[in-house]
Amino acid sequence: MGNAIMSVVSFFPSKSCQHYLLGDDIEDLPPDKMMDLSGKHLRRFPLQVCAFTELIKLYLSNNNLRSLPPELHLLNCLQILALDFNRFKELPQVVCRLRQLSALYLGNNYLSDLPAELSSLAELKTLWIEGNCFEQVPRVVSELKHLRILHAGCNQLNKLPKDLWRLRELQSIWISGNSFSEFPQVLLEIDSLEIIDVDRNSIRFFPSLVHMKNLKLVIYDRNPCKNGPRVGEEVRRVGKWADYRPEATEELSQEKNSEQMEENEDMETTEKSELNKDSDSVQE
């Protein structure tokens, strides 16, 4: 019943209605400089938040927001901004003016592209765009030179930009639940990758990933693949043939062949020795 009332109240922009929704959440700047307004049924961004110019973390997840006011740029200390589970069809341009942002959460909206101005977020290290309407990863993502984590699962992707290799600090890429029919070759060029998640796609063949020295985890389950990716000894795999390592099988086979050759040599030596003994006894 409480949620139903809040949903109705959210339609009215009056101060009393806003206070009902927010309570005392935005009376003062919290000591930790973090404000969590998630799940408040907000349809409008509360402008009074912009007064807290020292705010570092702002969580607006699970609301009904479609836009943000230009005054948001006053939060020029903001490092983490969570806008996931809202109703954004476009990323508000004002977000690109928050130059200190290191983490931006945009998952589960209605986005199909990102503005070129996003490249001005030089400090951005984490970008979540999963659960949107992307048919391709926006090219601007390749310009985020310090990006370390990219979550782009549950979209409509079937390829990655060729210049994604420029992300020399990228450590984790999550592209599960998309439409890839081939393993994205550009990932083979990103040596910094530690985690690759291509779960729930349509990939039929995996190339060798042995050369990727920083790799720690590959998730490739629920693909119609005919092979598992070859990886280094310390790399964990999640998917079909996860316990099968061709290189280990080859080594074992070589060891067996070596042992067999040694046994054969021993037998030949023994046989020759016995023949020599027989020959000596005949001569005597």
Side-chain angles (χ1 to χ4, degrees), residues 27-47:
E27 293 293 328
D28 300 295
L29 178 67
D32 58 1
K33 299 181 180 179
M34 179 194 81
M35 187 168 289
D36 189 353
L37 300 178
S38 301
K40 297 290 186 179
H41 300 270
L42 298 177
R43 293 179 180 274
R44 297 173 180 83
F45 180 82
L47 279 176

Side-chain angles (χ1 to χ4, degrees), residues 182-185 187-188 194-199 203-212 215-250:
E182 297 181 356
F183 184 85
Q185 293 294 309
L187 297 184
L188 302 177
E194 297 180 2
I195 299 175
I196 298 175
D197 180 6
V198 290
D199 182 30
I203 301 172
R204 295 184 176 277
F205 176 80
F206 282 93
S208 174
L209 308 179
V210 174
H211 70 284
M212 303 184 74
L215 199 60
K216 296 178 180 177
L217 172 64
V218 182
I219 304 173
Y220 65 97
D221 202 15
R222 287 173 285 187
N223 278 282
C225 50
K226 298 180 180 180
N227 72 312
R230 292 185 60 183
V231 294
E233 292 183 3
E234 302 298 323
V235 181
R236 183 186 173 204
R237 300 188 302 178
V238 178
K240 296 179 180 179
W241 309 286
D243 297 324
Y244 171 70
R245 294 179 180 274
E247 62 274 16
T249 304
E250 291 171 5

Side-chain angles (χ1 to χ4, degrees), residues 244-262:
Y244 171 70
R245 294 179 180 274
E247 62 274 16
T249 304
E250 291 171 5
E251 290 175 3
L252 184 61
S253 177
Q254 290 176 0
E255 289 178 3
K256 287 183 177 180
N257 289 337
S258 178
E259 291 175 359
Q260 186 65 46
M261 288 176 65
E262 290 178 359

Side-chain angles (χ1 to χ4, degrees), residues 257 259-269 271:
N257 289 337
E259 291 175 359
Q260 186 65 46
M261 288 176 65
E262 290 178 359
E263 290 179 3
N264 291 339
E265 288 177 359
D266 291 341
M267 289 178 64
E268 289 178 3
T269 301
E271 290 176 357

